[in-house]
Amino acid sequence: MTDNQHPLSAWLLLGLLSLIWGSSFLLIKKGLIAFGPMEVGALRISSAGIVLAPFIAKRLNKITRKHWLKLASVGLVGSFIPAFMFAIAQTQLASGVTGVLNALTPITTLVIGALFFHQSARIAQVIGIIIGLGARCCSLPHPLTAAGTLISTHC
């Protein structure tokens, strides 16, 4: 897809993704009112599996045996374990704190890639991380305001 093709739909999809991803921490916290952390993690993984099942059903037979270990490890580390760990963490931390900690994922990935895998970062990646962290910092409450403030005035 070129940069000029479907720009509005791309922005709408990005907005939808942001709403889903951003609200997940609040939904985890609300889920912990009625369920335990293991149940919340299981519900997250189960619902994701149900939603994604139609998309993988047609492609399942195309996955070769050598790719299953890689796919399983990525799924385990990237989705399964975090689903439970975030629910456990939110029994002790505010949902906003876990959201901020999750926002550090891109910079952590960049650092791990550079240190352990000798990957160099492109300037566009660094700029994207700076913009993302800057936007995340703007959503943090100002120390002099109420803790529930969504947008701070110091941006």
Side-chain angles (χ1 to χ4, degrees):
M1 181 182 338
T2 64
D3 290 338
N4 294 331
Q5 249 182 335
H6 310 294
L8 179 61
S9 63
W11 282 107
L12 290 174
L13 286 173
L14 181 62
L16 177 64
L17 176 63
S18 299
L19 286 172
I20 292 169
W21 200 358
S23 66
S24 68
F25 300 104
L26 178 62
L27 293 175
I28 292 170
K29 194 60 144 184
K30 294 298 182 186
L32 288 170
I33 294 170
F35 302 106
M38 294 300 163
E39 293 168 316
V40 171
L43 283 168
R44 291 184 70 206
I45 291 298
S46 299
S47 61
I50 291 168
V51 169
L52 295 175
F55 297 101
I56 64 166
K58 296 177 184 176
R59 296 171 181 90
L60 199 58
N61 60 351
K62 295 179 183 177
I63 300 172
T64 62
R65 185 177 285 253
K66 70 177 185 175
H67 291 114
W68 275 108
L69 180 61
K70 292 176 184 177
L71 289 172
S73 63
V74 167
L76 187 68
V77 173
S79 295
F80 189 81
I81 293 173
F84 290 92
M85 297 303 282
F86 275 115
I88 292 168
Q90 283 193 238
T91 62
Q92 303 294 317
L93 298 172
S95 59
V97 172
T98 55
V100 170
L101 292 174
N102 190 49
L104 296 175
T105 302
I107 197 162
T108 306
T109 304
L110 186 71
V111 170
I112 288 173
L115 291 177
F116 296 109
F117 301 106
H118 307 292
Q119 296 288 317
S120 59
R122 294 181 307 203
I123 189 69
Q125 292 170 318
V126 174
I127 291 171
I129 288 173
I130 291 169
I131 291 170
L133 288 175
R136 187 63 186 143
C137 288
C138 287
S139 68
L140 294 174
H142 191 278
L144 300 177
T145 62
T149 303
L150 292 177
I151 303 295
S152 64
T153 58
H154 64 285
C155 291

